[in-house]
Amino acid sequence: DALPISVCTVAVDHTPFMKPIINGDTFVVEGRAIHAGSSSVGVAVEVYRLQFPTRQKTLVCHSFFTMVAIDDQLKKANVVPALGLSTDRDVLLNEQYVMGLSLARKNPQDRLKDMIRIAESCDGTSPSASCRPIVPNSKSAAILEEAKLFCPDSDLECTPNKLKRYRIPFADTRTEANRVFFPQYLNMNHTIFGGELMRWMEVHAVQCGRMFTANKEVRSLGMYNVEFSDAVNIQDWVTLNAHVVYVHRTTLEVEVEIHVERADKKIVTNKAAFVIANFDEAGQLMEVPNGLDLKGASPEWLARYADSRARYEVGKLTRDRLSDAFNTK
């Protein structure tokens, strides 16, 4: 007999919100499988706004989802068939997806070298010292010190943050929320739907940005490195913590973490990074008034800052290439 097979989301990445969708707009969501492993499937998702009255499609958002096949015990199942890529567009999307997957699986030192190589290949030149990626996903002081070698002045701080008049310690940017989830949020696996968790994380990332900027007119521009490490169950008491980890001229990045407590143990179930933009009441971008205080920050906070700076700088260099892949017909 065939085993009961379901799927769950384990990661979401490269999700820029390029244009807004206004209340009342008609939009189309398209998904296509562009990578297959033994138990996982990479899915490219695109959101289009239909212009009225021409009904011309405008790309407003795209993303890569990693889904895993699971059995009735919520264990991964190696049942995913081979996938044929029949169009140039699928091949391009597969290359971008696999590149991100490869970086995520490498150790921090090798990942750093690959990110620099990728950045160099985007425009044929070596990144300048001011925008050279520092270190992605590092949590150790040793890796942080190695990363400093890529900056001539051994300074991890970006220029816009240096120019801020007021500096706020990382720990003081924290916002926290708690909640329980009701049965309407259960998915087919009888755990909390990942889409509701992402919605909750974005709401509080924006709130964290509002508190940091003292401005209600902030909006999310993108979502990166969303991780689903463990399931959230309906009986869990769920805690969310958000911190500002990077500040540029008109944008900042907020890291959000969700954890639950089971048998007196803290279990991190979800993480994500959100890019937040600072607007005035007229809808124009304006300077973020505050910066982050790096003096006296712990190695962990400095590593998180470096991680975010790497995402920002490499994202600038690779954004056009990724958009071209999604826009290929």
Side-chain angles (χ1 to χ4, degrees), residues 210-285:
R210 285 173 176 161
M211 299 295 290
F212 185 81
T213 60
N215 175 27
K216 65 178 182 179
E217 304 295 337
V218 299
R219 305 169 196 167
S220 54
L221 292 187
M223 179 174 62
Y224 298 89
N225 297 90
V226 183
E227 300 175 9
F228 295 84
S229 305
D230 205 336
V232 175
N233 301 315
I234 195 167
Q235 67 268 26
D236 286 329
W237 176 252
V238 190
T239 300
L240 178 152
N241 286 305
H243 292 88
V244 177
V245 293
Y246 186 72
V247 178
H248 211 258
R249 192 175 68 84
T250 60
T251 60
L252 54 93
E253 184 173 298
V254 176
E255 282 189 356
V256 180
E257 178 183 287
I258 291 177
H259 72 266
V260 299
E261 292 186 9
R262 298 173 188 153
D264 296 325
K265 292 183 179 180
K266 173 183 172 181
I267 299 174
V268 176
T269 60
N270 304 86
K271 292 182 180 180
F274 293 86
V275 178
I276 307 296
N278 194 39
F279 291 89
D280 61 20
E281 292 184 350
Q284 300 298 313
L285 283 169

Side-chain angles (χ1 to χ4, degrees), residues 186-204:
L186 290 175
N187 59 25
M188 66 181 71
N189 302 315
H190 303 288
T191 60
I192 302 305
F193 178 51
E196 175 60 19
L197 293 170
M198 286 197 293
R199 187 199 69 80
W200 191 43
M201 285 192 286
E202 186 197 10
V203 167
H204 284 281

Side-chain angles (χ1 to χ4, degrees), residues 112-241:
L112 173 60
K113 295 173 184 177
D114 276 3
M115 290 186 81
I116 293 174
R117 176 182 56 78
I118 292 165
E120 289 173 345
S121 69
C122 289
D123 58 4
T125 61
S126 178
S128 66
S130 64
C131 73
R132 186 171 288 140
I134 308 301
V135 55
N137 298 329
S138 168
K139 299 300 180 185
S140 72
I143 299 301
L144 185 63
E145 289 303 315
E146 180 179 344
K148 289 181 179 180
L149 297 176
F150 289 91
C151 274
D153 58 358
S154 298
D155 189 355
L156 293 176
E157 188 172 13
C158 68
T159 300
N161 194 72
K162 293 178 183 178
L163 300 176
K164 305 296 184 183
R165 183 175 180 182
Y166 301 105
R167 309 289 185 86
I168 299 176
F170 287 92
D172 291 349
T173 70
R174 173 175 170 267
T175 59
E176 180 178 316
N178 296 279
R179 69 174 291 185
V180 293
F181 289 90
F182 294 106
Q184 65 262 35
Y185 298 117
L186 290 175
N187 59 25
M188 66 181 71
N189 302 315
H190 303 288
T191 60
I192 302 305
F193 178 51
E196 175 60 19
L197 293 170
M198 286 197 293
R199 187 199 69 80
W200 191 43
M201 285 192 286
E202 186 197 10
V203 167
H204 284 281
V206 171
Q207 177 63 17
C208 184
R210 285 173 176 161
M211 299 295 290
F212 185 81
T213 60
N215 175 27
K216 65 178 182 179
E217 304 295 337
V218 299
R219 305 169 196 167
S220 54
L221 292 187
M223 179 174 62
Y224 298 89
N225 297 90
V226 183
E227 300 175 9
F228 295 84
S229 305
D230 205 336
V232 175
N233 301 315
I234 195 167
Q235 67 268 26
D236 286 329
W237 176 252
V238 190
T239 300
L240 178 152
N241 286 305

